[in-house]
Amino acid sequence: MTHTSPPALEADNIHKRFGSLEVLKGISLTARDGEIISILGSSGSGKSTFLRCLNLLEAPHEGRIALGGEAFKLKRQKDGSLVAADSRQITRLRASMGFVFQSFNLWPHMTILENVIEAPVLVRKTPRKAAVAEAEALLEKVGIADKRNAYPGHLSGGQQQRAAIARTLAMQPRVLLFDEPTSALDPEMVAEVLNVINSLAEEGRTMLLVTHEMRFARNVSTRVLFLHDGRIEEEGTPDKVFDDPASPRCRQFMASHR
Ligand code: ADP
Ligand code: MG
């Protein structure tokens, strides 16, 4: 193995403000293939904003982003924020960044199977038959193959989130971004979703994970970041960040989230 292959995802010096509120004050992160990086921090610390800046759902004011060594082409708007300069490039790169939200975001008028094949057929131009076969395998993998013809409204929250994960995987993303994937779920459904995420970790997928499931984050992560006041306040191995953080704020956060 050489070390010349570019990182799966690189973000360098990301800044973001909303009006006069500076939410991100220069966040940098490099995820190598197979790394699982958990991002922790109090509510309002900018975790979602950071993930959303990575695929330009939010327009950062400064910074550089690259996926598999390919830098995002950015242009500055009048308000100072950066947006995609090349819509074809961003469409392609976004398709390689699977985003799983707290709120599932399945299309309610489509069956689970239709939800999963929609983007591969429309964006990736996968032939429908191949997309269906792939979708069925993914629904099997997340344990809801029997729900393929059901509508999202007829599934539990945990099943809907597993369907949303299958839909994301159908695009064969290079990296997966999870933003509090279990926060909207009833407690009894959290484990079934964490089990799916854990199986993805075991496959060696590259993931960024924002979560309040502290024990899970500790067990699954190769690295943990703690955000505070727009900066990375602490960063390291799970053991280091959870048990022996240098930052008093991080220590306090860990103590109050046991
Ligand atoms: P977290 O995900 O860590 O809870 P967020 O990234 O959602 O934090 O929010 C960080 C800060 O940015 C909060 O103060 C929030 O109110 C603010 N914020 C987030 N999105 C917007 C927006 N679209 N407009 C204005 N302020 C926002
Ligand atoms: Mg958030």
Side-chain angles (χ1 to χ4, degrees):
M1 271 291 279
T2 62
H3 293 278
T4 52
S5 65
L9 178 68
E10 270 179 293
D12 186 37
N13 193 32
I14 304 294
H15 286 251
K16 174 66 184 176
R17 53 180 188 267
F18 294 107
S20 60
L21 179 68
E22 204 176 0
V23 176
L24 304 177
K25 300 176 182 171
I27 306 277
S28 300
L29 169 159
T30 299
R32 299 225 151 250
D33 284 314
E35 272 200 288
I36 298 159
I37 302 176
S38 286
I39 301 169
L40 310 179
S42 307
S43 180
S45 60
K47 306 179 296 297
S48 296
T49 301
F50 177 62
L51 286 192
R52 292 166 60 81
C53 282
L54 293 178
N55 67 355
L56 302 183
L57 282 174
E58 293 287 358
H61 289 86
E62 212 55 67
R64 189 185 152 275
I65 304 161
L67 193 68
E70 180 179 354
F72 285 32
K73 294 176 187 160
L74 302 173
K75 64 179 179 195
R76 201 171 287 284
Q77 303 187 102
K78 286 207 184 79
D79 71 357
S81 66
L82 298 167
V83 293
D86 176 342
S87 62
R88 289 181 60 188
Q89 186 206 33
I90 187 63
T91 300
R92 180 166 50 78
L93 292 175
R94 270 197 186 131
S96 299
M97 303 172 86
F99 211 124
V100 177
F101 301 89
Q102 180 175 327
S103 53
F104 329 138
N105 295 354
L106 295 166
W107 291 293
H109 60 290
M110 291 184 192
T111 67
I112 296 303
L113 188 79
E114 288 166 349
N115 264 278
V116 177
I117 68 170
E118 176 81 358
V121 169
L122 287 185
V123 181
R124 278 200 185 274
K125 312 294 181 201
T126 307
R128 194 182 157 89
K129 212 171 159 188
V132 168
E134 171 70 7
E136 285 176 340
L138 289 170
L139 291 173
E140 187 78 47
K141 181 191 179 97
V142 302
I144 53 168
D146 57 324
K147 301 294 182 193
R148 59 188 296 261
N149 295 318
Y151 286 87
H154 293 139
L155 270 59
S156 72
Q159 291 169 334
Q160 288 187 55
Q161 189 60 300
R162 286 185 284 154
I165 292 172
R167 183 180 59 174
T168 299
L169 294 175
M171 288 297 277
Q172 302 174 355
R174 171 107 195 229
V175 297
L176 291 167
L177 312 177
F178 290 93
D179 191 0
E180 300 203 32
T182 60
S183 292
L185 299 177
D186 292 334
E188 69 270 23
M189 291 167 192
V190 169
E192 66 193 50
V193 171
L194 294 182
N195 285 341
V196 169
I197 298 172
N198 194 50
S199 71
L200 298 174
E202 285 173 353
E203 285 175 7
R205 287 180 182 268
T206 311
M207 310 199 269
L208 303 190
L209 172 66
V210 172
T211 185
H212 291 293
E213 295 292 332
M214 303 296 275
R215 191 175 312 153
F216 182 76
R218 179 169 188 159
N219 290 336
V220 81
S221 306
T222 52
R223 199 141 50 90
V224 179
L225 309 185
F226 173 72
L227 293 197
H228 178 77
D229 196 22
R231 294 195 171 83
I232 297 176
E233 170 93 2
E234 186 85 34
E235 172 171 13
T237 62
D239 284 352
K240 169 78 180 150
V241 174
F242 278 81
D243 289 341
D244 189 25
S247 147
R249 284 206 187 81
C250 183
R251 203 172 311 144
Q252 190 180 19
F253 179 86
M254 292 303 169
S256 60
H257 287 82
R258 284 197 197 287

